[in-house]
PDB file of all heavy atoms in Angstrom:
ATOM      1  N   GLU D  29       5.136   0.842  26.478  1.00  0.00           N
ATOM      2  CA  GLU D  29       3.939   0.343  27.150  1.00  0.00           C
ATOM      3  C   GLU D  29       3.791  -1.166  26.921  1.00  0.00           C
ATOM      4  O   GLU D  29       3.657  -1.616  25.790  1.00  0.00           O
ATOM      5  CB  GLU D  29       2.693   1.070  26.643  1.00  0.00           C
ATOM      6  CG  GLU D  29       2.607   2.529  27.075  1.00  0.00           C
ATOM      7  CD  GLU D  29       2.362   2.681  28.567  1.00  0.00           C
ATOM      8  OE1 GLU D  29       1.930   1.711  29.221  1.00  0.00           O
ATOM      9  OE2 GLU D  29       2.612   3.787  29.083  1.00  0.00           O
ATOM     10  N   GLU D  30       3.793  -1.946  27.999  1.00  0.00           N
ATOM     11  CA  GLU D  30       3.681  -3.400  27.895  1.00  0.00           C
ATOM     12  C   GLU D  30       2.355  -3.825  27.264  1.00  0.00           C
ATOM     13  O   GLU D  30       2.271  -4.858  26.605  1.00  0.00           O
ATOM     14  CB  GLU D  30       3.833  -4.041  29.276  1.00  0.00           C
ATOM     15  CG  GLU D  30       5.258  -4.083  29.788  1.00  0.00           C
ATOM     16  CD  GLU D  30       6.178  -4.885  28.875  1.00  0.00           C
ATOM     17  OE1 GLU D  30       5.781  -5.983  28.435  1.00  0.00           O
ATOM     18  OE2 GLU D  30       7.286  -4.399  28.583  1.00  0.00           O
ATOM     19  N   LYS D  31       1.305  -3.046  27.484  1.00  0.00           N
ATOM     20  CA  LYS D  31      -0.010  -3.386  26.928  1.00  0.00           C
ATOM     21  C   LYS D  31       0.008  -3.379  25.398  1.00  0.00           C
ATOM     22  O   LYS D  31      -0.855  -3.993  24.765  1.00  0.00           O
ATOM     23  CB  LYS D  31      -1.062  -2.402  27.438  1.00  0.00           C
ATOM     24  CG  LYS D  31      -1.323  -2.477  28.934  1.00  0.00           C
ATOM     25  CD  LYS D  31      -2.349  -1.446  29.359  1.00  0.00           C
ATOM     26  CE  LYS D  31      -2.596  -1.495  30.860  1.00  0.00           C
ATOM     27  NZ  LYS D  31      -3.584  -0.458  31.301  1.00  0.00           N
ATOM     28  N   LEU D  32       0.982  -2.662  24.817  1.00  0.00           N
ATOM     29  CA  LEU D  32       1.059  -2.549  23.356  1.00  0.00           C
ATOM     30  C   LEU D  32       2.107  -3.484  22.757  1.00  0.00           C
ATOM     31  O   LEU D  32       2.411  -3.382  21.565  1.00  0.00           O
ATOM     32  CB  LEU D  32       1.389  -1.102  22.970  1.00  0.00           C
ATOM     33  CG  LEU D  32       0.402  -0.036  23.444  1.00  0.00           C
ATOM     34  CD1 LEU D  32       0.919   1.353  23.102  1.00  0.00           C
ATOM     35  CD2 LEU D  32      -0.975  -0.255  22.821  1.00  0.00           C
ATOM     36  N   LYS D  33       2.644  -4.382  23.564  1.00  0.00           N
ATOM     37  CA  LYS D  33       3.736  -5.247  23.125  1.00  0.00           C
ATOM     38  C   LYS D  33       3.380  -6.061  21.888  1.00  0.00           C
ATOM     39  O   LYS D  33       4.205  -6.270  20.996  1.00  0.00           O
ATOM     40  CB  LYS D  33       4.131  -6.186  24.274  1.00  0.00           C
ATOM     41  CG  LYS D  33       5.388  -6.996  24.007  1.00  0.00           C
ATOM     42  CD  LYS D  33       5.785  -7.793  25.241  1.00  0.00           C
ATOM     43  CE  LYS D  33       7.080  -8.570  24.989  1.00  0.00           C
ATOM     44  NZ  LYS D  33       7.485  -9.333  26.199  1.00  0.00           N
ATOM     45  N   THR D  34       2.149  -6.522  21.813  1.00  0.00           N
ATOM     46  CA  THR D  34       1.692  -7.341  20.684  1.00  0.00           C
ATOM     47  C   THR D  34       1.777  -6.591  19.359  1.00  0.00           C
ATOM     48  O   THR D  34       1.986  -7.196  18.300  1.00  0.00           O
ATOM     49  CB  THR D  34       0.231  -7.798  20.914  1.00  0.00           C
ATOM     50  OG1 THR D  34       0.136  -8.408  22.198  1.00  0.00           O
ATOM     51  CG2 THR D  34      -0.203  -8.789  19.851  1.00  0.00           C
ATOM     52  N   PHE D  35       1.621  -5.272  19.420  1.00  0.00           N
ATOM     53  CA  PHE D  35       1.547  -4.464  18.196  1.00  0.00           C
ATOM     54  C   PHE D  35       2.887  -3.859  17.786  1.00  0.00           C
ATOM     55  O   PHE D  35       2.961  -3.190  16.758  1.00  0.00           O
ATOM     56  CB  PHE D  35       0.531  -3.338  18.382  1.00  0.00           C
ATOM     57  CG  PHE D  35      -0.827  -3.808  18.831  1.00  0.00           C
ATOM     58  CD1 PHE D  35      -1.194  -3.721  20.165  1.00  0.00           C
ATOM     59  CD2 PHE D  35      -1.730  -4.338  17.926  1.00  0.00           C
ATOM     60  CE1 PHE D  35      -2.442  -4.144  20.582  1.00  0.00           C
ATOM     61  CE2 PHE D  35      -2.984  -4.759  18.332  1.00  0.00           C
ATOM     62  CZ  PHE D  35      -3.341  -4.673  19.673  1.00  0.00           C
ATOM     63  N   ARG D  36       3.936  -4.067  18.586  1.00  0.00           N
ATOM     64  CA  ARG D  36       5.196  -3.364  18.346  1.00  0.00           C
ATOM     65  C   ARG D  36       5.799  -3.638  16.984  1.00  0.00           C
ATOM     66  O   ARG D  36       6.248  -2.718  16.302  1.00  0.00           O
ATOM     67  CB  ARG D  36       6.206  -3.723  19.443  1.00  0.00           C
ATOM     68  CG  ARG D  36       5.947  -3.030  20.751  1.00  0.00           C
ATOM     69  CD  ARG D  36       6.905  -3.483  21.828  1.00  0.00           C
ATOM     70  NE  ARG D  36       6.515  -2.938  23.123  1.00  0.00           N
ATOM     71  CZ  ARG D  36       7.001  -3.355  24.279  1.00  0.00           C
ATOM     72  NH1 ARG D  36       7.910  -4.317  24.303  1.00  0.00           N
ATOM     73  NH2 ARG D  36       6.588  -2.817  25.404  1.00  0.00           N
ATOM     74  N   GLY D  37       5.826  -4.896  16.587  1.00  0.00           N
ATOM     75  CA  GLY D  37       6.487  -5.251  15.336  1.00  0.00           C
ATOM     76  C   GLY D  37       5.876  -4.597  14.122  1.00  0.00           C
ATOM     77  O   GLY D  37       6.534  -3.810  13.427  1.00  0.00           O
ATOM     78  N   TRP D  38       4.609  -4.878  13.848  1.00  0.00           N
ATOM     79  CA  TRP D  38       4.002  -4.373  12.617  1.00  0.00           C
ATOM     80  C   TRP D  38       3.692  -2.893  12.681  1.00  0.00           C
ATOM     81  O   TRP D  38       3.812  -2.190  11.681  1.00  0.00           O
ATOM     82  CB  TRP D  38       2.763  -5.192  12.249  1.00  0.00           C
ATOM     83  CG  TRP D  38       1.592  -5.089  13.174  1.00  0.00           C
ATOM     84  CD1 TRP D  38       1.346  -5.853  14.270  1.00  0.00           C
ATOM     85  CD2 TRP D  38       0.492  -4.185  13.067  1.00  0.00           C
ATOM     86  NE1 TRP D  38       0.164  -5.477  14.868  1.00  0.00           N
ATOM     87  CE2 TRP D  38      -0.387  -4.456  14.151  1.00  0.00           C
ATOM     88  CE3 TRP D  38       0.150  -3.175  12.172  1.00  0.00           C
ATOM     89  CZ2 TRP D  38      -1.566  -3.747  14.357  1.00  0.00           C
ATOM     90  CZ3 TRP D  38      -1.020  -2.469  12.375  1.00  0.00           C
ATOM     91  CH2 TRP D  38      -1.864  -2.763  13.452  1.00  0.00           C
ATOM     92  N   MET D  39       3.331  -2.382  13.894  1.00  0.00           N
ATOM     93  CA  MET D  39       3.072  -0.945  13.999  1.00  0.00           C
ATOM     94  C   MET D  39       4.367  -0.141  13.859  1.00  0.00           C
ATOM     95  O   MET D  39       4.387   0.923  13.244  1.00  0.00           O
ATOM     96  CB  MET D  39       2.401  -0.626  15.334  1.00  0.00           C
ATOM     97  CG  MET D  39       0.915  -0.920  15.378  1.00  0.00           C
ATOM     98  SD  MET D  39      -0.020  -0.003  14.126  1.00  0.00           S
ATOM     99  CE  MET D  39       0.261   1.690  14.643  1.00  0.00           C
ATOM    100  N   GLY D  40       5.453  -0.671  14.431  1.00  0.00           N
ATOM    101  CA  GLY D  40       6.747  -0.013  14.280  1.00  0.00           C
ATOM    102  C   GLY D  40       7.157   0.059  12.821  1.00  0.00           C
ATOM    103  O   GLY D  40       7.694   1.066  12.355  1.00  0.00           O
ATOM    104  N   ALA D  41       6.877  -1.022  12.062  1.00  0.00           N
ATOM    105  CA  ALA D  41       7.195  -1.041  10.628  1.00  0.00           C
ATOM    106  C   ALA D  41       6.367  -0.012   9.874  1.00  0.00           C
ATOM    107  O   ALA D  41       6.877   0.691   8.991  1.00  0.00           O
ATOM    108  CB  ALA D  41       6.950  -2.441  10.068  1.00  0.00           C
ATOM    109  N   VAL D  42       5.086   0.099  10.219  1.00  0.00           N
ATOM    110  CA  VAL D  42       4.213   1.088   9.576  1.00  0.00           C
ATOM    111  C   VAL D  42       4.715   2.503   9.859  1.00  0.00           C
ATOM    112  O   VAL D  42       4.778   3.351   8.949  1.00  0.00           O
ATOM    113  CB  VAL D  42       2.754   0.930  10.067  1.00  0.00           C
ATOM    114  CG1 VAL D  42       1.890   2.099   9.589  1.00  0.00           C
ATOM    115  CG2 VAL D  42       2.163  -0.389   9.580  1.00  0.00           C
ATOM    116  N   PHE D  43       5.077   2.771  11.115  1.00  0.00           N
ATOM    117  CA  PHE D  43       5.609   4.087  11.480  1.00  0.00           C
ATOM    118  C   PHE D  43       6.867   4.408  10.669  1.00  0.00           C
ATOM    119  O   PHE D  43       7.023   5.514  10.152  1.00  0.00           O
ATOM    120  CB  PHE D  43       5.946   4.132  12.969  1.00  0.00           C
ATOM    121  CG  PHE D  43       4.743   4.185  13.874  1.00  0.00           C
ATOM    122  CD1 PHE D  43       4.879   3.974  15.242  1.00  0.00           C
ATOM    123  CD2 PHE D  43       3.474   4.445  13.387  1.00  0.00           C
ATOM    124  CE1 PHE D  43       3.782   4.032  16.085  1.00  0.00           C
ATOM    125  CE2 PHE D  43       2.367   4.501  14.217  1.00  0.00           C
ATOM    126  CZ  PHE D  43       2.527   4.291  15.575  1.00  0.00           C
ATOM    127  N   PHE D  44       7.756   3.416  10.576  1.00  0.00           N
ATOM    128  CA  PHE D  44       9.026   3.625   9.871  1.00  0.00           C
ATOM    129  C   PHE D  44       8.787   3.935   8.399  1.00  0.00           C
ATOM    130  O   PHE D  44       9.406   4.847   7.830  1.00  0.00           O
ATOM    131  CB  PHE D  44       9.917   2.390  10.016  1.00  0.00           C
ATOM    132  CG  PHE D  44      11.196   2.479   9.222  1.00  0.00           C
ATOM    133  CD1 PHE D  44      12.192   3.365   9.599  1.00  0.00           C
ATOM    134  CD2 PHE D  44      11.391   1.686   8.107  1.00  0.00           C
ATOM    135  CE1 PHE D  44      13.372   3.461   8.867  1.00  0.00           C
ATOM    136  CE2 PHE D  44      12.560   1.768   7.371  1.00  0.00           C
ATOM    137  CZ  PHE D  44      13.552   2.661   7.764  1.00  0.00           C
ATOM    138  N   ILE D  45       7.917   3.179   7.764  1.00  0.00           N
ATOM    139  CA  ILE D  45       7.638   3.392   6.338  1.00  0.00           C
ATOM    140  C   ILE D  45       7.050   4.777   6.098  1.00  0.00           C
ATOM    141  O   ILE D  45       7.427   5.479   5.152  1.00  0.00           O
ATOM    142  CB  ILE D  45       6.697   2.289   5.809  1.00  0.00           C
ATOM    143  CG1 ILE D  45       7.437   0.948   5.780  1.00  0.00           C
ATOM    144  CG2 ILE D  45       6.186   2.642   4.414  1.00  0.00           C
ATOM    145  CD1 ILE D  45       6.555  -0.241   5.482  1.00  0.00           C
ATOM    146  N   PHE D  46       6.113   5.197   6.962  1.00  0.00           N
ATOM    147  CA  PHE D  46       5.536   6.535   6.808  1.00  0.00           C
ATOM    148  C   PHE D  46       6.608   7.612   6.941  1.00  0.00           C
ATOM    149  O   PHE D  46       6.675   8.555   6.139  1.00  0.00           O
ATOM    150  CB  PHE D  46       4.443   6.779   7.846  1.00  0.00           C
ATOM    151  CG  PHE D  46       3.852   8.168   7.778  1.00  0.00           C
ATOM    152  CD1 PHE D  46       2.792   8.441   6.925  1.00  0.00           C
ATOM    153  CD2 PHE D  46       4.384   9.209   8.539  1.00  0.00           C
ATOM    154  CE1 PHE D  46       2.262   9.723   6.838  1.00  0.00           C
ATOM    155  CE2 PHE D  46       3.865  10.488   8.461  1.00  0.00           C
ATOM    156  CZ  PHE D  46       2.800  10.748   7.601  1.00  0.00           C
ATOM    157  N   ILE D  47       7.452   7.490   7.973  1.00  0.00           N
ATOM    158  CA  ILE D  47       8.503   8.482   8.204  1.00  0.00           C
ATOM    159  C   ILE D  47       9.468   8.514   7.026  1.00  0.00           C
ATOM    160  O   ILE D  47       9.895   9.582   6.570  1.00  0.00           O
ATOM    161  CB  ILE D  47       9.251   8.184   9.517  1.00  0.00           C
ATOM    162  CG1 ILE D  47       8.321   8.401  10.707  1.00  0.00           C
ATOM    163  CG2 ILE D  47      10.485   9.065   9.650  1.00  0.00           C
ATOM    164  CD1 ILE D  47       8.899   7.959  12.043  1.00  0.00           C
ATOM    165  N   LEU D  48       9.792   7.339   6.510  1.00  0.00           N
ATOM    166  CA  LEU D  48      10.716   7.253   5.380  1.00  0.00           C
ATOM    167  C   LEU D  48      10.141   7.942   4.149  1.00  0.00           C
ATOM    168  O   LEU D  48      10.821   8.723   3.471  1.00  0.00           O
ATOM    169  CB  LEU D  48      11.009   5.781   5.074  1.00  0.00           C
ATOM    170  CG  LEU D  48      12.186   5.487   4.145  1.00  0.00           C
ATOM    171  CD1 LEU D  48      13.499   5.882   4.811  1.00  0.00           C
ATOM    172  CD2 LEU D  48      12.205   4.013   3.781  1.00  0.00           C
ATOM    173  N   LEU D  49       8.871   7.663   3.855  1.00  0.00           N
ATOM    174  CA  LEU D  49       8.237   8.254   2.685  1.00  0.00           C
ATOM    175  C   LEU D  49       7.990   9.755   2.854  1.00  0.00           C
ATOM    176  O   LEU D  49       7.871  10.479   1.868  1.00  0.00           O
ATOM    177  CB  LEU D  49       6.910   7.544   2.391  1.00  0.00           C
ATOM    178  CG  LEU D  49       7.021   6.103   1.889  1.00  0.00           C
ATOM    179  CD1 LEU D  49       5.644   5.496   1.696  1.00  0.00           C
ATOM    180  CD2 LEU D  49       7.817   6.040   0.589  1.00  0.00           C
ATOM    181  N   SER D  50       7.912  10.223   4.089  1.00  0.00           N
ATOM    182  CA  SER D  50       7.727  11.660   4.329  1.00  0.00           C
ATOM    183  C   SER D  50       8.961  12.456   3.928  1.00  0.00           C
ATOM    184  O   SER D  50       8.878  13.650   3.667  1.00  0.00           O
ATOM    185  CB  SER D  50       7.413  11.913   5.804  1.00  0.00           C
ATOM    186  OG  SER D  50       8.577  11.755   6.609  1.00  0.00           O
ATOM    187  N   GLY D  51      10.113  11.778   3.927  1.00  0.00           N
ATOM    188  CA  GLY D  51      11.345  12.455   3.538  1.00  0.00           C
ATOM    189  C   GLY D  51      11.916  13.374   4.599  1.00  0.00           C
ATOM    190  O   GLY D  51      12.823  14.166   4.308  1.00  0.00           O
ATOM    191  N   VAL D  52      11.419  13.284   5.836  1.00  0.00           N
ATOM    192  CA  VAL D  52      11.934  14.136   6.918  1.00  0.00           C
ATOM    193  C   VAL D  52      13.194  13.492   7.476  1.00  0.00           C
ATOM    194  O   VAL D  52      13.133  12.503   8.216  1.00  0.00           O
ATOM    195  CB  VAL D  52      10.880  14.316   8.032  1.00  0.00           C
ATOM    196  CG1 VAL D  52      11.426  15.190   9.160  1.00  0.00           C
ATOM    197  CG2 VAL D  52       9.611  14.933   7.454  1.00  0.00           C
ATOM    198  N   ARG D  53      14.332  14.047   7.117  1.00  0.00           N
ATOM    199  CA  ARG D  53      15.600  13.426   7.463  1.00  0.00           C
ATOM    200  C   ARG D  53      15.834  13.341   8.962  1.00  0.00           C
ATOM    201  O   ARG D  53      16.293  12.315   9.470  1.00  0.00           O
ATOM    202  CB  ARG D  53      16.738  14.191   6.768  1.00  0.00           C
ATOM    203  CG  ARG D  53      16.770  13.937   5.277  1.00  0.00           C
ATOM    204  CD  ARG D  53      17.666  14.883   4.519  1.00  0.00           C
ATOM    205  NE  ARG D  53      17.042  16.188   4.302  1.00  0.00           N
ATOM    206  CZ  ARG D  53      17.259  16.947   3.237  1.00  0.00           C
ATOM    207  NH1 ARG D  53      18.067  16.532   2.277  1.00  0.00           N
ATOM    208  NH2 ARG D  53      16.672  18.110   3.109  1.00  0.00           N
ATOM    209  N   MET D  54      15.497  14.410   9.687  1.00  0.00           N
ATOM    210  CA  MET D  54      15.657  14.366  11.137  1.00  0.00           C
ATOM    211  C   MET D  54      14.692  13.353  11.750  1.00  0.00           C
ATOM    212  O   MET D  54      15.004  12.716  12.763  1.00  0.00           O
ATOM    213  CB  MET D  54      15.414  15.748  11.747  1.00  0.00           C
ATOM    214  CG  MET D  54      15.589  15.799  13.270  1.00  0.00           C
ATOM    215  SD  MET D  54      17.211  15.194  13.853  1.00  0.00           S
ATOM    216  CE  MET D  54      18.237  16.627  13.480  1.00  0.00           C
ATOM    217  N   GLY D  55      13.525  13.182  11.132  1.00  0.00           N
ATOM    218  CA  GLY D  55      12.568  12.195  11.622  1.00  0.00           C
ATOM    219  C   GLY D  55      13.099  10.783  11.495  1.00  0.00           C
ATOM    220  O   GLY D  55      12.947   9.963  12.410  1.00  0.00           O
ATOM    221  N   VAL D  56      13.737  10.472  10.361  1.00  0.00           N
ATOM    222  CA  VAL D  56      14.337   9.153  10.149  1.00  0.00           C
ATOM    223  C   VAL D  56      15.464   8.937  11.153  1.00  0.00           C
ATOM    224  O   VAL D  56      15.584   7.851  11.758  1.00  0.00           O
ATOM    225  CB  VAL D  56      14.868   9.013   8.709  1.00  0.00           C
ATOM    226  CG1 VAL D  56      15.600   7.697   8.529  1.00  0.00           C
ATOM    227  CG2 VAL D  56      13.728   9.125   7.705  1.00  0.00           C
ATOM    228  N   PHE D  57      16.299   9.957  11.352  1.00  0.00           N
ATOM    229  CA  PHE D  57      17.401   9.867  12.312  1.00  0.00           C
ATOM    230  C   PHE D  57      16.863   9.633  13.723  1.00  0.00           C
ATOM    231  O   PHE D  57      17.389   8.790  14.469  1.00  0.00           O
ATOM    232  CB  PHE D  57      18.235  11.150  12.262  1.00  0.00           C
ATOM    233  CG  PHE D  57      19.345  11.184  13.277  1.00  0.00           C
ATOM    234  CD1 PHE D  57      20.489  10.419  13.103  1.00  0.00           C
ATOM    235  CD2 PHE D  57      19.238  11.977  14.414  1.00  0.00           C
ATOM    236  CE1 PHE D  57      21.513  10.454  14.048  1.00  0.00           C
ATOM    237  CE2 PHE D  57      20.250  12.008  15.361  1.00  0.00           C
ATOM    238  CZ  PHE D  57      21.399  11.241  15.173  1.00  0.00           C
ATOM    239  N   THR D  58      15.807  10.373  14.096  1.00  0.00           N
ATOM    240  CA  THR D  58      15.218  10.233  15.421  1.00  0.00           C
ATOM    241  C   THR D  58      14.648   8.839  15.632  1.00  0.00           C
ATOM    242  O   THR D  58      14.825   8.232  16.692  1.00  0.00           O
ATOM    243  CB  THR D  58      14.107  11.278  15.631  1.00  0.00           C
ATOM    244  OG1 THR D  58      14.660  12.590  15.468  1.00  0.00           O
ATOM    245  CG2 THR D  58      13.493  11.168  17.015  1.00  0.00           C
ATOM    246  N   PHE D  59      13.962   8.316  14.617  1.00  0.00           N
ATOM    247  CA  PHE D  59      13.431   6.952  14.687  1.00  0.00           C
ATOM    248  C   PHE D  59      14.575   5.970  14.933  1.00  0.00           C
ATOM    249  O   PHE D  59      14.439   5.025  15.722  1.00  0.00           O
ATOM    250  CB  PHE D  59      12.694   6.606  13.395  1.00  0.00           C
ATOM    251  CG  PHE D  59      11.979   5.293  13.424  1.00  0.00           C
ATOM    252  CD1 PHE D  59      10.636   5.224  13.780  1.00  0.00           C
ATOM    253  CD2 PHE D  59      12.637   4.120  13.081  1.00  0.00           C
ATOM    254  CE1 PHE D  59       9.968   4.002  13.809  1.00  0.00           C
ATOM    255  CE2 PHE D  59      11.988   2.897  13.102  1.00  0.00           C
ATOM    256  CZ  PHE D  59      10.647   2.838  13.472  1.00  0.00           C
ATOM    257  N   GLY D  60      15.695   6.186  14.245  1.00  0.00           N
ATOM    258  CA  GLY D  60      16.858   5.321  14.430  1.00  0.00           C
ATOM    259  C   GLY D  60      17.434   5.407  15.835  1.00  0.00           C
ATOM    260  O   GLY D  60      17.832   4.391  16.416  1.00  0.00           O
ATOM    261  N   VAL D  61      17.468   6.618  16.392  1.00  0.00           N
ATOM    262  CA  VAL D  61      17.975   6.804  17.762  1.00  0.00           C
ATOM    263  C   VAL D  61      17.089   6.069  18.768  1.00  0.00           C
ATOM    264  O   VAL D  61      17.581   5.358  19.654  1.00  0.00           O
ATOM    265  CB  VAL D  61      18.046   8.311  18.116  1.00  0.00           C
ATOM    266  CG1 VAL D  61      18.331   8.506  19.604  1.00  0.00           C
ATOM    267  CG2 VAL D  61      19.118   9.002  17.284  1.00  0.00           C
ATOM    268  N   ILE D  62      15.761   6.239  18.624  1.00  0.00           N
ATOM    269  CA  ILE D  62      14.822   5.563  19.525  1.00  0.00           C
ATOM    270  C   ILE D  62      14.998   4.049  19.432  1.00  0.00           C
ATOM    271  O   ILE D  62      15.081   3.353  20.456  1.00  0.00           O
ATOM    272  CB  ILE D  62      13.365   5.930  19.162  1.00  0.00           C
ATOM    273  CG1 ILE D  62      13.115   7.419  19.341  1.00  0.00           C
ATOM    274  CG2 ILE D  62      12.379   5.130  20.033  1.00  0.00           C
ATOM    275  CD1 ILE D  62      11.787   7.892  18.764  1.00  0.00           C
ATOM    276  N   SER D  63      15.068   3.533  18.210  1.00  0.00           N
ATOM    277  CA  SER D  63      15.203   2.094  17.993  1.00  0.00           C
ATOM    278  C   SER D  63      16.507   1.564  18.571  1.00  0.00           C
ATOM    279  O   SER D  63      16.550   0.478  19.173  1.00  0.00           O
ATOM    280  CB  SER D  63      15.130   1.772  16.492  1.00  0.00           C
ATOM    281  OG  SER D  63      13.904   2.202  15.947  1.00  0.00           O
TER     282      SER D  63
END
């Protein structure tokens, strides 16, 4: 979404950190695929 472009950097980092700390291996892999 172009309207959310301003938030991509820091929000993406927050999402990644949460997923990483959750320990869900498929979730980390999926995040990597999307990225």
Side-chain angles (χ1 to χ4, degrees):
E29 290 291 342
E30 284 300 315
K31 294 178 181 179
L32 301 175
K33 188 174 182 179
T34 308
F35 307 100
R36 284 176 188 167
W38 67 271
M39 281 301 297
V42 170
F43 287 168
F44 175 70
I45 291 171
F46 177 87
I47 293 172
L48 193 67
L49 291 177
S50 74
V52 179
R53 288 168 281 212
M54 181 55 78
V56 175
F57 176 74
T58 301
F59 187 94
V61 170
I62 297 169
S63 301

